[in-house]
Amino acid sequence: LCCCEYVDRRGRRNHLAACCCDCEELDDGCDRWLTCKSMPPGALERIADTIADRLRVPWFSGAVKINVSLVPPLVLLPVFLHVAALHFLLGLIILTSLPVVVLWYYYLTHRRKERTLFFLSLGLFSLGYMYYVFLREVVPRGHVEHSQVVTLTCGLILMLAALSRAKKDPGYLPIPAGNEKPSHQGLHNKSIRGSSSGLHGISGAASSRAVNGEAKGYCRMSAEQPAGVKKDWCTKCQLVRPARAGHCRLCGRCVRRLDHHCVWINSCVGEQNHQAFILALSFFMLTSVYGITLTLHTICRGRSLFVALFYCPGAYSDYSSALSFTCVWYCAIVTAGMGYILLIQLLNISYNVTEREARLALRDNTGRRLLGGLVIDTGQYNRGLLCNWGHFLSLGASPPQRSAEDIV
């Protein structure tokens, strides 16, 4: 293939120059629209698939397909922020509607069980664009020292490094070969509650054995696994998974000590990357609050941080200050959302419960709501604050031991 050629979704060799030719789905849709006929079921999905397949850029070994979900943040975010900087009312309308649109898109993709790069693209581009506005509009005013710029840059680099680590393997369980499907019918019928979704409730107390993800040396628990804690059978992956593992319906894989599927990193959060996920959130919070503080002290001098955020006379006196103030409010909204996620994560770690376990406990009415409903204590793995944090800090320190019944 030359740099402008590609193999389309139907297996045929095609060229970028012919991207607007022979689109039967689009032609049929236009004909029906002109003749006022209704579209057949699935027509819009087929048109969208065709457009997504032909949206490519030239590359050395053939044209590479561009993920459509990457494009909207790159185009719409700068446009919205610049329009919001024109007037206070425009900023109020746009900054209020942006979270609503993002939440609507999240529930739309979550209901359809679709993976999307939209949120990862929005997060990374927001970081880059906020840093660009800070260097272009705030630093030239002369009120920010070079050491402060270096500190902000280092925080951004550390956050991206932690995010890169969080994007790696969350602890996927190996998928058995297709011709070697395990046979555990007796175990499945007697002691394991199977379901088509692969999500099962876990009852009983936790053990300190490595199969449950517990680390020795932090707390003393029974060396033998209690009878109430059972391993699950995943009908999707066709394997027996250890306790606290779960099946992600978006990734299609079982993850050891599954917490949740995070759309902001487009990956699961599990045993191997949970620490990096918390670290990335913490670095983001520190860097974002520091950047907001530097910007507000520059454009609203002489006022405290909280007062300047809500009352900053002269912020819309010139376009540069208005854009900086708009970006500050955008960062504040994003920081508040991420701060809530970090708070829930820290509370869950303190009670040694995962998001998945809390959701199942709410469904089965087996957990206790604590701290006004911010955390759900299942009572299964909670061994005290210090022991719970010791267990979390030891996640992924050593490969879990496997017993004979774990081998599939």
Side-chain angles (χ1 to χ4, degrees):
L1 297 177
C2 75
C3 62
C4 296
E5 290 183 317
Y6 65 95
V7 178
D8 60 18
R9 60 192 179 99
R10 296 179 179 177
R12 296 181 298 188
R13 190 166 178 168
N14 217 323
H15 197 277
L16 287 179
C19 63
C20 296
C21 303
D22 300 329
C23 184
E24 300 176 359
E25 293 85 357
L26 185 59
D27 293 341
D28 181 66
C30 292
D31 292 340
R32 288 179 174 272
W33 179 71
L34 292 175
T35 57
C36 300
K37 295 181 180 179
S38 61
M39 299 287 289
L44 294 179
E45 288 78 3
R46 290 193 296 270
I47 294 175
D49 292 340
T50 303
I51 295 176
D53 185 55
R54 298 187 180 191
L55 187 62
R56 298 172 180 262
V57 294
W59 199 247
F60 299 105
S61 58
V64 179
K65 184 166 64 174
I66 301 176
N67 195 308
V68 182
S69 60
L70 291 173
V71 180
L74 305 182
V75 178
L76 297 180
L77 182 62
V79 173
F80 284 159
L81 290 179
H82 279 276
V83 172
L86 295 176
H87 195 271
F88 170 75
L89 293 179
L90 286 175
L92 183 63
I93 294 173
I94 290 178
L95 293 177
T96 304
S97 60
L98 272 179
V100 176
V101 173
V102 171
L103 288 175
W104 169 79
Y105 185 71
Y106 167 74
Y107 286 114
L108 181 65
T109 55
H110 185 73
R111 187 174 66 250
R112 295 181 178 179
K113 302 179 183 179
E114 296 178 354
R115 296 189 66 179
T116 175
L117 293 175
F118 172 83
F119 300 97
L120 179 61
S121 174
L122 177 61
L124 292 178
F125 185 68
S126 296
L127 287 173
Y129 192 71
M130 295 302 105
Y131 186 68
Y132 167 77
V133 171
F134 178 79
L135 295 180
R136 182 180 176 86
E137 307 293 344
V138 180
V139 175
R141 293 173 178 263
H143 300 295
V144 180
E145 299 178 359
H146 293 290
S147 60
Q148 294 174 325
V149 177
V150 172
T151 302
L152 184 68
T153 304
C154 291
L156 185 63
I157 293 175
L158 290 174
M159 192 278 296
L160 291 177
L163 183 63
S164 175
R165 175 61 187 87
K167 281 283 296 174
K168 295 183 179 180
D169 181 15
Y172 291 122
L173 292 175
I175 298 179
N179 56 352
E180 297 179 4
K181 294 197 174 181
S183 175
H184 290 276
Q185 296 299 326
L187 181 64
H188 176 70
N189 294 332
K190 293 181 181 180
S191 61
I192 299 179
R193 295 181 300 164
S195 67
S196 59
S197 63
L199 296 177
H200 308 275
I202 303 173
S203 60
S207 74
S208 62
R209 300 180 63 182
V211 72
N212 289 336
E214 302 287 350
K216 298 179 180 179
Y218 289 100
C219 50
R220 297 285 299 175
M221 288 182 285
S222 174
E224 296 184 359
Q225 183 164 322
V229 177
K230 304 180 179 64
K231 295 179 175 61
D232 289 330
W233 170 261
C234 180
T235 58
K236 299 291 185 179
C237 298
Q238 293 293 297
L239 54 80
V240 175
R241 60 193 181 196
R244 309 197 77 176
H247 183 87
C248 176
R249 60 181 184 177
L250 297 179
C251 296
R253 296 284 300 275
C254 281
V255 181
R256 194 178 293 274
R257 197 184 179 276
L258 174 64
D259 189 85
H260 69 287
H261 182 94
C262 181
V263 296
W264 294 106
I265 64 174
N266 193 34
S267 178
C268 290
V269 176
E271 183 178 89
Q272 298 296 323
N273 67 341
H274 201 170
Q275 296 174 354
F277 178 73
I278 296 297
L279 198 60
L281 282 177
S282 302
F283 278 129
F284 171 81
M285 292 293 299
L286 294 175
T287 305
S288 179
V289 171
Y290 188 63
I292 291 174
T293 303
L294 293 178
T295 304
L296 287 179
H297 284 171
T298 300
I299 63 178
C300 302
R301 298 190 60 81
R303 299 182 182 275
S304 63
L305 177 62
F306 185 78
V307 173
L309 188 61
F310 292 94
Y311 180 69
C312 183
Y316 286 85
S317 59
D318 60 278
Y319 188 76
S320 176
S321 299
L323 180 60
S324 301
F325 190 72
T326 302
C327 291
V328 162
W329 260 105
Y330 175 75
C331 289
I333 293 173
V334 175
T335 303
M338 294 300 170
Y340 176 77
I341 295 176
L342 179 60
L343 175 63
I344 297 300
Q345 287 289 314
L346 295 179
L347 290 176
N348 286 343
I349 294 171
S350 300
Y351 286 90
N352 201 0
V353 62
T354 64
E355 280 292 319
R356 172 179 174 270
E357 292 167 351
R359 184 175 66 251
L360 294 178
L362 285 178
R363 186 194 67 184
D364 300 334
N365 198 22
T366 58
R368 294 186 305 146
R369 290 180 178 269
L370 301 176
L371 302 178
L374 290 177
V375 64
I376 307 299
D377 183 17
T378 61
Q380 297 173 339
Y381 303 98
N382 188 3
R383 296 298 180 270
L385 180 65
L386 295 179
C387 184
N388 293 339
W389 273 97
H391 165 227
F392 173 76
L393 295 176
S394 66
L395 289 178
S398 59
Q401 301 173 357
R402 304 185 66 182
S403 59
E405 61 182 355
D406 292 332
I407 302 176
V408 179

